[in-house]
Amino acid sequence: MKQDKNASISAIALRGPVFDKIVILASSWEDDWFDYKDWLKKKLAVSGRPHSDISVIRARIVSPIDYSSITKVMQKKLNEVGEVSDMIYINLTSGTPAMTTISVLLGKGVGNCMFLQSSPHGDIDEVEIPVDFAAEYGRASGSGIYASIANLPKSESAFEKINATSQIMRDVIKKAQRLASSDLPALILGETGTGKEVMANAIHKASPRSGKPFRAVNCGALPESLVDSILFGHVKGAFTGAQRDHAGLFEQANGGTLFLDEVGELPLNIQVKLLRALQQKEITRVGDTAIRDIDVRIIAATHRDLFTMISSGDFREDLFYRLAVGVIHIPPLRERIDDIPDLVESLLNDINQQATTHPQFGCKKISSSAIKFTASYDWPGNIRELWNTLHRAVLWSEQEVLDGNDIKSAILSRSGSNEANAEKNSFEIPGDLSQFIDSIKKSAIESALEKSAGNKSMAARLLGLNNHQTLNNWIKSVNLEP
């Protein structure tokens, strides 16, 4: 331009096919963009060619040889112009070899795309790429499948630790196996203690990502002030105490699977960032401006009613439908009684293995009466309560074989077989201690709100809380309708 001579872009624009629209993607020489556009317009006008629609667009790339960022920019622009254009021409002469390579790879996937290049003497050639990428890929992947099939994760072995004698659980495992073979987000539903993390781990191990990291986090246990940093990471100096850069769980799980237990507990502002990570496959660390590409499969889980939370505005509807592509519902233990005998045997074997490291405790066996009792009990705390109960029975029993009374006395909701002792110790705890605590908290909140006629500040004072915000957190934690 400064010497009023034609280089690749202007040569193609003036001597190539007639273009209705010219789009120039630029990552440097920003000060010259407007002058160049005016200069090119005048050249085209003199030649009698269309010149009203010329644009220079900033290409936000990491570097001129960064294939990932070049691909994102090129793909986005091709998608935009492809929807409104009968024919697209791509200039292969300008830019770096990385840009040319990406242009060819992406352009070959567009049916109405042609390639142009110019010579130093100004000659313009239409380039025919003599490679059928689809056929080559099919041929290579076909042989690759046979070569790698022996290394694929075995779905059956991944799920073998999950007891599934009952028909209802066999159906669940069948769905989970099919889901594992895909790369879709998943949502696991079920009561507390049903084994949602075990199921998520099995899905990961049976998936093509099995050789990559599996990271798990209980969203309900994350401090609200740190949840952003824990999930997405932070840079040094982002906040007080951030003494070095930190990769969050998304980056730690890159290439693998991230399990978000109790996803319904995430604050709304974090739900927005999670949705973006799912849609755009990119994150930004706290205190940073750089966007980081991530490749993570999300498996979420909750015991809460997300539809109710959506109605109350506590959970984003768009995030729910993004997560709930593959949905697995794990039934409570009381609905899968046929699984209990094998489950008891399996859990007791694990407990016995742990007991071998403690010389004062011996391995235990379990009687048919004990198994019969476990199958007749409701287990409100599900597998977690059964596990803890068996642990206590092994700890307390002096017999080598556990009987029904050993199991019964180890259940926290039972105060003992002696009626007098039951009257003396009338305080009873349901099987799941956290549910018991929540029920007490919920009852106290309801009483305080009733006495204060719904005034949350007054209700908070009646409960001895510092402010009404703490009360709001309590209300959410027990899933109490406002």
Side-chain angles (χ1 to χ4, degrees):
M1 175 192 70
K2 292 181 179 178
Q3 298 176 14
D4 198 29
K5 294 181 179 180
N6 291 323
S8 178
I9 294 175
S10 57
I12 291 175
L14 291 166
R15 299 172 187 169
V18 176
F19 307 112
D20 298 318
K21 180 183 180 71
I22 295 176
V23 178
I24 303 169
L25 299 177
S27 60
S28 59
W29 300 325
E30 184 175 357
D31 292 342
D32 297 318
W33 289 359
F34 294 108
D35 290 341
Y36 183 83
K37 187 167 69 171
D38 289 343
W39 175 78
L40 184 58
K41 280 186 175 183
K42 291 175 183 177
K43 286 274 189 180
L44 289 169
V46 170
S47 299
R49 291 200 164 207
H51 59 277
S52 61
D53 197 347
I54 300 175
S55 58
V56 182
I57 298 174
R58 181 186 302 280
R60 297 187 182 277
I61 57 176
V62 175
S63 78
I65 58 172
D66 181 73
Y67 283 85
S68 179
S69 58
I70 294 170
T71 300
K72 289 179 70 173
V73 169
M74 192 68 181
Q75 183 71 74
K76 181 179 179 181
K77 186 51 62 178
L78 272 178
N79 289 341
E80 289 177 2
V81 299
E83 293 177 357
V84 296
S85 304
D86 295 327
M87 180 60 69
I88 302 170
Y89 293 89
I90 298 179
N91 167 22
L92 297 182
T93 306
S94 301
T96 62
M99 296 173 183
T100 302
T101 300
I102 295 302
S103 295
V104 171
L105 290 173
L106 294 180
K108 285 289 286 184
V110 180
N112 58 339
C113 182
M114 295 291 293
F115 302 100
L116 299 173
Q117 65 183 12
S118 65
S119 71
H121 304 294
D123 297 326
I124 309 300
D125 296 319
E126 282 194 6
V127 181
E128 198 61 47
I129 308 294
V131 180
D132 185 342
F133 289 134
E136 290 299 320
Y137 177 79
R139 190 179 301 113
S141 61
S143 60
I145 287 173
Y146 292 109
S148 63
I149 193 166
N151 297 321
L152 288 176
K154 301 297 186 293
S155 178
E156 293 80 5
S157 61
F159 290 91
E160 64 183 5
K161 289 188 176 181
I162 300 177
N163 297 90
T165 303
S166 64
Q167 185 60 52
I168 190 172
M169 273 307 291
R170 288 204 298 268
D171 292 342
V172 169
I173 295 297
K174 190 179 296 184
K175 287 180 66 177
Q177 287 173 330
R178 294 188 65 178
L179 183 60
S181 63
S182 75
D183 206 31
L184 298 171
L187 180 62
I188 303 176
L189 305 175
E191 294 179 5
T192 300
T194 50
K196 295 187 285 293
E197 184 170 347
V198 174
M199 180 64 74
N201 213 324
I203 291 173
H204 168 72
K205 288 181 178 178
S207 76
R209 295 176 178 264
S210 59
K212 299 295 184 178
F214 175 86
R215 295 288 183 271
V217 61
N218 187 328
C219 300
L222 296 177
E224 191 166 346
S225 59
L226 295 177
V227 59
D228 200 340
S229 170
I230 291 171
L231 290 178
F232 304 106
H234 64 254
V235 295
K236 181 179 179 181
F239 50 83
T240 304
Q243 299 178 355
R244 59 183 177 84
D245 288 356
H246 168 70
L249 288 171
F250 268 90
E251 289 181 74
Q252 293 175 34
N254 200 30
T257 302
L258 177 58
F259 175 56
L260 300 175
D261 198 7
E262 297 305 339
V263 70
E265 308 297 331
L266 286 177
L268 286 171
N269 64 311
I270 301 300
Q271 292 179 30
V272 174
K273 295 192 70 172
L274 175 58
L275 180 63
R276 178 172 178 80
L278 281 165
Q279 291 177 333
Q280 307 297 330
K281 296 187 180 299
E282 59 187 31
I283 61 165
T284 304
R285 290 181 177 182
V286 177
D288 200 1
T289 56
I291 295 174
R292 300 171 187 268
D293 294 326
I294 48 99
D295 173 25
V296 176
R297 183 186 193 177
I298 297 294
I299 301 179
T302 183
H303 75 282
R304 301 184 67 177
D305 185 345
L306 292 184
F307 283 112
T308 301
M309 294 184 67
I310 290 171
S311 299
S312 62
D314 293 321
F315 199 82
R316 292 182 62 95
E317 185 175 13
D318 47 5
L319 176 58
F320 170 79
Y321 287 112
R322 190 75 187 186
L323 291 172
V325 180
V327 180
I328 299 290
H329 183 272
I330 303 180
L333 206 49
R334 61 184 174 273
E335 294 180 10
R336 41 182 295 211
I337 297 173
D338 291 345
D339 294 328
I340 291 180
D342 287 342
L343 188 57
V344 170
E345 293 281 1
S346 176
L347 294 177
L348 190 58
N349 285 337
D350 289 344
I351 294 169
N352 283 335
Q353 285 184 3
Q354 295 180 24
T356 59
T357 61
H358 300 278
Q360 64 270 38
F361 299 115
C363 293
K364 304 288 186 180
K365 297 179 181 179
I366 191 161
S367 68
S368 58
S369 67
I371 291 180
K372 185 177 180 180
F373 174 79
T374 58
S376 67
Y377 186 67
D378 275 349
W379 301 111
N382 294 295
I383 298 174
R384 185 178 298 134
E385 183 189 2
L386 175 59
W387 165 266
N388 289 332
T389 300
L390 290 172
H391 254 296
R392 285 189 292 272
V394 170
L395 176 65
W396 292 341
S397 177
E398 297 179 357
Q399 305 177 97
E400 184 181 346
V401 180
L402 301 175
D403 59 24
N405 287 328
D406 291 322
I407 305 298
K408 188 184 298 184
S409 62
I411 295 175
L412 290 181
S413 59
R414 306 269 175 168
S415 56
S417 58
N418 187 297
E419 289 186 10
N421 189 47
E423 289 181 4
K424 181 179 178 182
N425 302 291
S426 58
F427 177 68
E428 296 182 0
I429 303 175
D432 190 308
L433 187 57
S434 64
Q435 289 182 1
F436 175 63
I437 294 171
D438 282 350
S439 68
I440 295 175
K441 189 184 290 187
K442 186 174 182 179
S443 178
I445 293 170
E446 288 173 338
S447 297
L449 288 172
E450 183 179 350
K451 290 182 180 179
S452 64
N455 186 309
K456 288 187 177 180
S457 296
M458 186 182 296
R461 287 196 297 271
L462 290 173
L463 292 168
L465 303 178
N466 293 331
N467 51 57
H468 73 278
Q469 185 58 49
T470 304
L471 175 59
N472 284 334
N473 293 336
W474 274 32
I475 291 172
K476 287 182 180 180
S477 71
V478 299
N479 204 18
L480 185 65
E481 290 293 330

